[in-house]
Amino acid sequence: MKSVLTATITALTLGLAGPALAEYPEKPVTFIVPWPPGDLEDVLTRMIAEDFQDEYGVAAAVVNKPGGGGGPFPGAIDVATAPADGYTIGSFVPAVSLIGHEIDIPELTPEKFDPIGIFLTYPFVIAASGNAPYSSMEELAAHAKENDVVLGHFGDVLTPTQVTKALARKMDFDWAADAAFDALDCNTLASGDADVINTTLQLILPCIDQVKVLVSITGERISKIPDTPTIGEVDGDLDIALWNGLFVTKDTPEDVRAKIAAVAEKTVMSERAQQVAEETGALVYWKDASESAEIIEADKATLATIGDTLE
């Protein structure tokens, strides 16, 4: 009788406790890249997804969700509105964490995201066609005071666009017009759709001999174009770089974050990821959640300076 009673109590206790929670990850994971395929964040995020799949034995896919020329926010909204369980991970540029919650996007307000880690500094540049009558920002400024010059960018709220517009303001010239594009590459300049573009060096490497790179929007000079000055060299008040990192929503459990970070760090420090850096001039590294949060706070201050310039 005693053994029967003990067994009954045990069964009831287990029943009340409910089923054991499954260990993350137990189902497919999605990494959302809010840009078209092919650029650096896409290439590296796909490497992370492949390694995640190998490490944990679940499917891991990258979904590209471009913003129609208006920035990364449709993709960010997908992450923000998904359950906070680590199965939807954002691969984001600064605009998502620095700007998205401040421009009246309800799904992103208040701040929705925490960094898992930052892993990439883009070799972002301001470039013109090879036959442009200017070869530096100073020459461009002089030309633009007498002629119409059209700027192409990936979205008005994005860091490179804001920096470029602030630099124009400080150099006392205006863009005749500007427009957002989903892709900014050799064809954009060759077709005349824009006279000057904000893009990553990788996207214009196929025609690097037919373009003029006027300045890099990076913290240090790009190895592939060592004679090109950085934005900070041209104007010290505008010293900022464009990075990319992995983000999850704020209620995501810490153990889930740790598992994502472990794979991502191993991936970006791998030989194949560092080869991407060597080939493109990008910086590929790992900054953990704490270091990434510090970068975000510093960038907020610089963006405030940029905002004051543009008022």
Side-chain angles (χ1 to χ4, degrees):
M1 177 65 69
K2 183 177 180 180
S3 62
V4 172
L5 181 60
T6 299
T8 301
I9 292 173
T10 301
L12 288 172
T13 301
L14 290 173
L16 290 173
L21 295 176
E23 184 175 355
Y24 174 89
E26 59 153 353
K27 61 182 182 180
V29 172
T30 299
F31 292 81
I32 292 183
V33 174
W35 307 110
D39 207 351
L40 292 167
E41 77 291 325
D42 182 65
V43 171
L44 292 166
T45 304
R46 289 180 186 277
M47 288 184 184
I48 293 170
E50 290 169 3
D51 289 350
F52 192 96
Q53 182 167 302
D54 291 342
E55 178 71 20
Y56 296 122
V58 298
V62 172
V63 174
N64 296 90
K65 189 159 187 178
F73 299 116
I77 289 170
D78 279 2
V79 181
T81 55
D85 54 13
Y87 288 99
T88 306
I89 302 163
S91 184
F92 294 153
V93 294
V96 174
S97 56
L98 300 181
I99 299 171
H101 59 284
E102 296 183 350
I103 57 175
D104 298 323
I105 300 177
E107 297 90 343
L108 302 183
T109 308
E111 289 187 71
K112 298 293 186 181
F113 304 110
D114 284 335
I116 295 293
I118 293 173
F119 61 84
L120 164 68
T121 297
Y122 294 85
F124 233 93
V125 298
I126 300 173
S129 63
N131 60 6
Y134 38 81
S135 301
S136 67
M137 287 303 302
E138 291 78 13
E139 292 177 1
L140 168 60
H143 179 81
K145 290 173 184 178
E146 304 293 335
N147 302 273
D148 288 345
V149 180
V150 176
L151 172 68
H153 53 73
F154 282 123
D156 190 65
V157 301
L158 301 185
T159 301
T161 310
Q162 292 291 295
V163 168
T164 301
K165 290 187 173 183
L167 183 59
R169 182 72 57 85
K170 296 189 76 173
M171 298 184 80
D172 196 30
F173 75 91
D174 294 315
W175 301 104
D178 67 273
F181 295 81
D182 279 340
L184 289 163
D185 51 25
C186 303
N187 292 330
T188 312
L189 290 173
S191 65
D193 290 338
D195 302 304
V196 175
I197 60 175
N198 278 333
T199 191
T200 61
L201 186 64
Q202 172 162 349
L203 294 180
I204 57 172
L205 277 177
C207 62
I208 195 65
D209 293 335
Q210 286 80 50
V211 301
K212 296 177 180 178
V213 183
L214 309 180
V215 66
S216 69
I217 304 175
T218 53
E220 58 188 68
R221 292 196 179 198
I222 298 173
S223 60
K224 285 195 169 294
I225 47 172
D227 295 331
T228 301
T230 68
I231 190 78
E233 291 177 88
V234 176
D235 190 307
D237 292 338
L238 304 179
D239 189 6
I240 197 168
L242 185 72
W243 45 257
N244 198 89
L246 296 182
F247 286 79
V248 292
T249 47
K250 288 185 174 293
D251 293 333
T252 303
E254 289 298 327
D255 62 322
V256 171
R257 300 177 189 222
K259 287 188 172 183
I260 299 168
V263 171
E265 179 176 8
K266 183 177 179 180
T267 299
V268 299
M269 300 311 297
S270 69
E271 183 176 346
R272 76 188 196 284
Q274 292 304 311
Q275 184 64 32
V276 171
E278 177 65 25
E279 292 172 353
T280 64
L283 295 176
V284 180
Y285 50 85
W286 182 252
K287 299 290 186 182
D288 65 22
S290 176
E291 294 170 313
S292 297
E294 291 178 2
I295 291 170
I296 290 170
E297 289 305 310
D299 283 355
K300 285 180 180 179
T302 304
L303 285 174
T305 299
I306 292 169
D308 291 341
T309 301
L310 293 175
E311 284 184 353

